[in-house]
Amino acid sequence: MPTYDFICEKCGHKFSIFCSVSSRDKQICPQCTDDNITQRFTTVNAYGVKGGKACSSGKCSPGCKC
Ligand SMILES: [Zn+2]
């Protein structure tokens, strides 16, 4: 199963969860039990974005190293 990194929007707690894709959206913060959490992308840049700038090719996919 993949590991998903999340950050809690309420308390700022950062945590990782092993879970299936189907249960990914049902997770809660283990610290404050709030469900207002956002998935973090620590190993893959945001789509088409690197270093805060949009990719010059405009054809980036997740994992692109342009
Ligand atoms: Zn929290």
Side-chain angles (χ1 to χ4, degrees):
M1 261 184 233
T3 304
Y4 296 101
D5 292 323
F6 292 93
I7 183 167
C8 175
E9 297 291 341
K10 188 173 182 180
C11 72
H13 184 57
K14 298 172 183 175
F15 56 99
S16 299
I17 296 175
F18 287 102
C19 64
S20 64
V21 173
S22 60
S23 64
R24 182 182 57 182
D25 296 331
K26 301 171 187 171
Q27 303 302 319
I28 61 171
C29 174
Q31 183 160 283
C32 69
T33 69
D34 197 274
D35 62 359
N36 187 18
I37 58 175
T38 301
Q39 189 177 357
R40 301 164 63 221
F41 295 95
T42 53
T43 56
V44 179
N45 285 325
Y47 210 96
V49 176
K50 183 177 182 181
K53 294 181 180 179
C55 174
S56 58
S57 74
K59 295 179 181 176
C60 278
S61 59
C64 173
K65 293 190 171 56
C66 60

